[in-house]
C-alpha cells in the first residue's frame, strides 16, 4: 500500500504507463482493419514470440521502461539475450499475451477515467456534454468535488498495473539457467582478471619502490659519492622497468596492451638479481636448465614469484645474503629463495599479501608454493608443473 501511495511521485510509474500503452498501436491498427473481431491481436502476437530476437527486443524495452534502475546492473532480473531454447520462446509467447491483456486494461482506464473527469468538470461549470459515462448526474457542486477523483484513481490503477506487468516481466523474461551460468562465468573471469592485475601491480611496483627505498637509504648512510652514483643508477633502472610493467598492466585495463608473450620472463632473471645486488644484498644465484624454453605461463609466473621473494628480502631483512636456486627438473620448475631471518624486533613474517600472491600464482598453474621457516632461515619455495602447461 505504501508503494502505491508513493507511486504518483515516482518517475518509473509513468515510464511503465508508457510501456503499457505501446501495444495500443497494434490494437488501434487492428481495430481499424477488423473492428468486428477485437481479440485478433491476441492471436496475432503468438507467432512473434517464437522468433528468438523478439525476446531481446522485449527485454530491452522492459528493462528500459519497467526496471530502469537495473540498466547498469550486471545481474538484472530481465534477460537481454535472444531466445536460446524452446522454453525461452514459449515464455516469450506467454509474456506477449500477458502484456497485451494488461495493456488493454490500462488503455481502457486511460481513456475512460479522463473522460469521466471531463464530464464532471462540464457539469460543474453548467455545460454537460453527455451522461453516457456516468450512472447518475450529480449536482454542480458535487461534480466539482468529484472531478479530480477519476484522475487520482487512474494514477493508482496505472501504478498497480505497472507493478503487475513488472512482476510478469521479471518472471517471464528472466534469464534462463544457461544464461545465468554464462553470466556467472563471465563475472568469475572478470574477478580473476582483476586479481591478476592487482598481483602484477603489487609485485612490479612494490619491487621497484622497495629497491628505491633501500638504495636511497644505503646511499645516504654511506656518504660515498661513487656508491651514491651507483645507487642512483640502480634506482633509475629499476624505476624504468617498473614503468614498463605499469604500462603493460594499464594496457590490459585498456584492452590494448602488449600480449602476455612480451611480459618479463625468467630469461630476464639477471635483471632482478643485479637489482638486488645493487641494493647491497649478497646474492648467490644458481640458474640451471634452458629457462628460455619454459612454457609462457610458467616463465612469466616464475619471474613474478622470484621478484616478490627478492622484494620481501629487501623490504623485511635489508641487504642480507640471499641464496637463489632455479632449476628445471623432470616435468617441473623448482624455484627457491632462502635468506637469514631479520634481527630487527617487531618484524612479522608470513602474513603479507605478497606471499599470498606467490601461493596463488603457483596454484593457478597447478603447482604449489611454501613460505616459512626452514633450518633457521626464511625460505620461499615453489614447484610449477611443466607437462600440463605445454
Amino acid at each position: 500500500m505504501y508503494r502505491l501511495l508513493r507511486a504518483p511521485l515516482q518517475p518509473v510509474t509513468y515510464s511503465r504507463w508508457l510501456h503499457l500503452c505501446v501495444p495500443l498501436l497494434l490494437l488501434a491498427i487492428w481495430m481499424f482493419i477488423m473492428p468486428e473481431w477485437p481479440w485478433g491481436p491476441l492471436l496475432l502476437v503468438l507467432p512473434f514470440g517464437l522468433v528468438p530476437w523478439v525476446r531481446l527486443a522485449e527485454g530491452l524495452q522492459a528493462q528500459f521502461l519497467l526496471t530502469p534502475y537495473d540498466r547498469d546492473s550486471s545481474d538484472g532480473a530481465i534477460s537481454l539475450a535472444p531466445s536460446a531454447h524452446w522454453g525461452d520462446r514459449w515464455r516469450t509467447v506467454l509474456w506477449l499475451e500477458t502484456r497485451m491483456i494488461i495493456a488493454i486494461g490500462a488503455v481502457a482506464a486511460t481513456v475512460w477515467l479522463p473522460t469521466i473527469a471531463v464530464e464532471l468538470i462540464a457539469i460543474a461549470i453548467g455545460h454537460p456534454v453527455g451522461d453516457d459515462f456516468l450512472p447518475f448526474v450529480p449536482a454542480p457542486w458535487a461534480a466539482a468535488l468529484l472531478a479530480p477523483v477519476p484522475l487520482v484513481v487512474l494514477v493508482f490503477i496505472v501504478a498497480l498495473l505497472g507493478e503487475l506487468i513488472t512482476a510478469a516481466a521479471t518472471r517471464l523474461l528472466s534469464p534462463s539457467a544457461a544464461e545465468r551460468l554464462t553470466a556467472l562465468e563471465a563475472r568469475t573471469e572478470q574477478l580473476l582478471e582483476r586479481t591478476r592485475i592487482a598481483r602484477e601491480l603489487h609485485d612490479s611496483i612494490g619491487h621497484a619502490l622497495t629497491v628505491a627505498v633501500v638504495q636511497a637509504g644505503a646511499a645516504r648512510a654511506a656518504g660515498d659519492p661513487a656508491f651514491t652514483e651507483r645507487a642512483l643508477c640502480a634506482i633509475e633502472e629499476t624505476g624504468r622497468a617498473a614503468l614498463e610493467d605499469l604500462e603493460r598492466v594499464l594496457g590490459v585495463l585498456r584492452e590494448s596492451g602488449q600480449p602476455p608473450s612480451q611480459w618479463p620472463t625468467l630469461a630476464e632473471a639477471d635483471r632482478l638479481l643485479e637489482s638486488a645486488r645493487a641494493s647491497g644484498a649478497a646474492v648467490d644465484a644458481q640458474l640451471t636448465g634452458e629457462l628460455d624454453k619454459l612454457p609462457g605461463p610458467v616463465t612469466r609466473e616464475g619471474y613474478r614469484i622470484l621478484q616478490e621473494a627478492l622484494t620481501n628480502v629487501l623490504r623485511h631483512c635489508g641487504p642480507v645474503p640471499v641464496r637463489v636456486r632455479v632449476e628445471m627438473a623432470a616435468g617441473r620448475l623448482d624455484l627457491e629463495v632462502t635468506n637469514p631471518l631479520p634481527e630487527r624486533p617487531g618484524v612479522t613474517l608470513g602474513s603479507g599479501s605478497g606471499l599470498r600472491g606467490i601461493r596463488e600464482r603457483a596454484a593457478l598453474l597447478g603447482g604449489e608454493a611454501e613460505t616459512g621457516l626452514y633450518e633457521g632461515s626464511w625460505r620461499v619455495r615453489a614447484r610449477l608443473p611443466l607437462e600440463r602447461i605445454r
Side-chain angles (χ1 to χ4, degrees):
M1 179 59 68
Y2 178 68
R3 294 179 63 179
L4 289 179
L5 293 177
R6 291 179 52 198
L9 304 178
Q10 301 296 321
V12 71
T13 299
Y14 303 99
S15 67
R16 291 172 176 174
W17 195 348
L18 176 60
H19 183 271
L20 289 168
C21 291
V22 168
L24 175 64
L25 299 175
L26 177 62
L27 181 60
I29 295 174
W30 181 267
M31 292 300 293
F32 180 78
I33 298 174
M34 299 185 66
E36 69 278 2
W37 195 20
W39 301 106
L42 293 176
L43 300 178
L44 184 64
V45 298
L46 284 176
F48 289 97
L50 301 178
V51 179
W53 289 99
V54 170
R55 184 177 182 80
L56 172 60
E58 290 294 320
L60 288 171
Q61 187 180 159
Q63 189 182 79
F64 188 81
L65 296 176
L66 298 181
T67 58
Y69 41 80
D70 285 344
R71 277 185 290 171
D72 298 329
S73 175
S74 59
D75 53 352
I78 296 178
S79 173
L80 298 179
S83 300
H85 307 284
W86 278 103
D88 295 337
R89 297 179 184 182
W90 288 117
R91 285 203 300 161
T92 305
V93 170
L94 184 57
W95 157 254
L96 292 176
E97 296 293 323
T98 303
R99 181 183 180 186
M100 183 66 68
I101 293 173
I102 297 177
I104 291 174
V107 170
T110 302
V111 173
W112 181 55
L113 291 173
T115 303
I116 293 178
V118 171
E119 177 66 19
L120 289 173
I121 294 174
I123 294 174
I125 62 177
H127 297 282
V129 295
D131 56 359
D132 295 339
F133 293 96
L134 296 175
F136 64 94
V137 178
W141 63 270
L145 293 176
L146 294 175
V149 174
L151 300 180
V152 174
V153 173
L154 173 61
V155 172
F156 283 102
I157 289 178
V158 168
L160 182 61
L161 294 180
E163 293 286 342
L164 182 60
I165 194 66
T166 302
T170 56
R171 178 72 176 178
L172 299 175
L173 295 180
S174 60
S176 62
E179 292 172 340
R180 293 184 185 276
L181 180 59
T182 301
L184 179 60
E185 291 176 349
R187 183 73 175 271
T188 303
E189 289 294 332
Q190 185 182 33
L191 292 177
L192 289 175
E193 182 66 14
R194 289 181 179 179
T195 302
R196 186 179 70 83
I197 291 174
R199 284 199 304 264
E200 296 291 341
L201 286 175
H202 175 273
D203 293 349
S204 60
I205 307 303
H207 174 77
L209 292 177
T210 299
V211 170
V213 170
V214 173
Q215 290 280 7
R220 183 179 61 180
D224 183 1
F227 183 84
T228 301
E229 182 178 358
R230 291 195 301 272
L232 291 175
C233 291
I235 292 174
E236 179 184 7
E237 180 181 355
T238 304
R240 185 178 293 109
L243 286 176
E244 293 176 359
D245 288 342
L246 180 60
E247 285 296 325
R248 294 188 184 101
V249 175
L250 293 178
V252 172
L253 291 174
R254 294 191 298 264
E255 299 182 352
S256 60
Q258 293 176 319
S261 60
Q262 299 183 19
W263 287 50
T265 65
L266 277 177
E268 307 171 51
D270 289 341
R271 186 175 73 178
L272 294 176
L273 301 176
E274 291 302 322
S275 177
R277 293 189 179 105
S279 300
V283 180
D284 174 21
Q286 181 178 342
L287 282 68
T288 306
E290 299 177 332
L291 300 182
D292 56 339
K293 296 184 178 180
L294 286 170
V298 173
T299 187
R300 290 191 294 271
E301 299 301 329
Y303 179 93
R304 293 305 188 192
I305 291 174
L306 177 60
Q307 183 182 54
E308 179 60 28
L310 293 175
T311 299
N312 284 337
V313 173
L314 296 174
R315 179 182 299 156
H316 299 295
C317 304
V320 297
V322 184
R323 180 174 177 269
V324 177
R325 295 291 183 268
V326 180
E327 180 182 3
M328 289 182 62
R332 71 173 189 270
L333 174 70
D334 291 338
L335 191 151
E336 183 177 316
V337 178
T338 308
N339 62 276
L341 291 173
E343 298 179 358
R344 302 190 303 274
V347 177
T348 303
L349 296 175
S351 58
S353 59
L355 298 180
R356 183 172 62 251
I358 288 176
R359 292 188 288 267
E360 290 175 352
R361 289 180 184 277
L364 285 175
L365 296 177
E368 59 181 0
E370 303 173 358
T371 59
L373 298 176
Y374 178 75
E375 296 183 356
S377 300
W378 182 263
R379 184 179 71 170
V380 174
R381 183 181 184 185
R383 292 183 176 181
L384 308 180
L386 302 180
E387 297 178 352
R388 285 179 286 180
I389 303 298
R390 295 185 183 277

